[in-house]
Amino acid sequence: MTKDHRVFALGLLLTALVASPVAAGEREIKTYTIPDTRDMRFCEFIIAKPDGLDVYNTTGMNDCPVELFDNLDIEAIKEKFGAIKVELNGPKFWMMDEQTLEFGETETFGGIEARWAARLDPAVMAKAWQGSAPYAIFNPKKKQRMVYAKGKPVFEIIDPEGNAYVLQAHGKDYSMETLPSLGGKMTELPEGWSYRARVLEEDLILDLSPDQTIYALGDEFHQYYTRPPEQE
């Protein structure tokens, strides 16, 4: 796998695992319902240690201020946490209008507060890195409730069987205004697949839990899509 595909896999995996109950251990985990998340900017911090990776997410705390994020001292963060490596994911922007998440303790990264969101063991990370090319379906495990509001636009990738995967977060290079025409820029979309924009006639709710089979994929722009469970 190329370096670009490894970076793609890492960013995709971490966005997919926001609010994951994976390896919570003895942490105090709380549930948060966050309104007005459409186009909310967020970022994640991945702290890699020999026994695993801890993921911290800024959702509901701040908008990952650009002046701080662009000037982070990665070496200082590594020293603070005793990390082997520190990776950044984002900034990205949520597409749903409300979401319910589970988070743990708060840490500060160069002045940016973020809450613990997931822990990944090295074996899980290694496996995830093996086959995360764009438009390849994978099955994350997480607990998260997302509400896309009636009357708002959603952007979906449709597979050959007619299953729709709804965009969960867009990247900084593709603003909300550019998303309706994003399909015309997808040069790697497999034959028989399509992209569409539509306005919801009723609320679209994705209520995800680890005991479900969740279907997800990423596009070639490192953006993440989830298939509503009711389509199984």
Side-chain angles (χ1 to χ4, degrees):
M1 181 179 288
T2 67
K3 179 180 179 181
D4 285 346
H5 277 164
R6 289 196 298 269
V7 172
F8 171 78
L10 179 62
L12 183 62
L13 174 66
L14 295 170
T15 301
L17 285 172
V18 166
S20 171
V22 173
E26 297 180 356
R27 287 181 165 85
E28 181 180 356
I29 305 300
K30 296 182 179 180
T31 300
Y32 300 83
T33 295
I34 305 171
D36 303 319
T37 51
R38 184 171 288 255
D39 223 21
M40 176 185 286
R41 174 180 161 121
F42 72 97
C43 56
E44 291 177 318
F45 302 88
I46 303 94
I47 308 301
K49 298 180 180 180
D51 59 343
L53 296 91
D54 285 310
V55 183
Y56 294 83
N57 185 287
T58 64
T59 300
M61 303 205 76
N62 56 72
D63 65 352
C64 188
V66 62
E67 66 276 8
L68 297 178
F69 188 76
D70 288 349
N71 291 285
L72 287 170
D73 186 337
I74 299 299
E75 291 303 316
I77 296 174
K78 284 173 60 177
E79 183 176 354
K80 175 180 178 178
F81 290 92
I84 298 172
K85 191 173 184 180
V86 172
E87 294 280 358
L88 306 177
N89 180 35
K92 288 187 169 64
F93 301 80
W94 292 120
M95 287 299 305
M96 72 293 294
D97 297 280
E98 178 184 290
Q99 61 176 312
T100 300
L101 307 160
E102 290 187 341
F103 286 129
E105 76 276 4
T106 299
E107 295 286 358
T108 302
F109 303 84
I112 303 175
E113 289 191 324
R115 287 182 287 224
W116 181 89
R119 181 169 178 79
L120 310 176
D121 65 53
V124 170
M125 179 61 72
K127 182 178 179 181
W129 276 24
Q130 291 174 7
S132 51
Y135 311 109
I137 296 171
F138 64 101
N139 306 111
K141 293 289 185 182
K142 61 178 177 176
K143 185 174 182 179
Q144 186 176 14
R145 185 176 190 270
M146 298 177 279
V147 180
Y148 295 78
K150 174 183 177 180
K152 298 291 184 67
V154 291
F155 305 94
E156 298 168 316
I157 289 177
I158 314 299
D159 70 19
E161 287 72 43
N163 298 305
Y165 299 76
V166 62
L167 181 61
Q168 181 174 318
H170 71 86
K172 63 184 179 64
D173 294 330
Y174 297 93
S175 67
M176 192 74 75
E177 293 73 25
T178 66
L179 292 176
S181 60
L182 185 64
K185 300 180 177 66
M186 291 180 170
T187 61
E188 299 179 37
L189 194 65
E191 185 177 354
W193 294 61
S194 62
Y195 175 90
R196 74 181 179 194
R198 66 184 179 99
V199 175
L200 292 173
E201 297 182 356
E202 59 184 10
D203 287 354
L204 174 63
I205 299 175
L206 282 70
D207 203 351
L208 310 175
S209 65
D211 58 354
Q212 295 172 311
T213 300
I214 300 172
Y215 299 93
L217 56 82
D219 65 19
E220 61 208 77
F221 313 113
H222 302 195
Q223 300 176 142
Y224 174 70
Y225 302 71
T226 305
R227 174 176 157 183
E230 62 269 23
Q231 294 190 11
E232 290 188 24

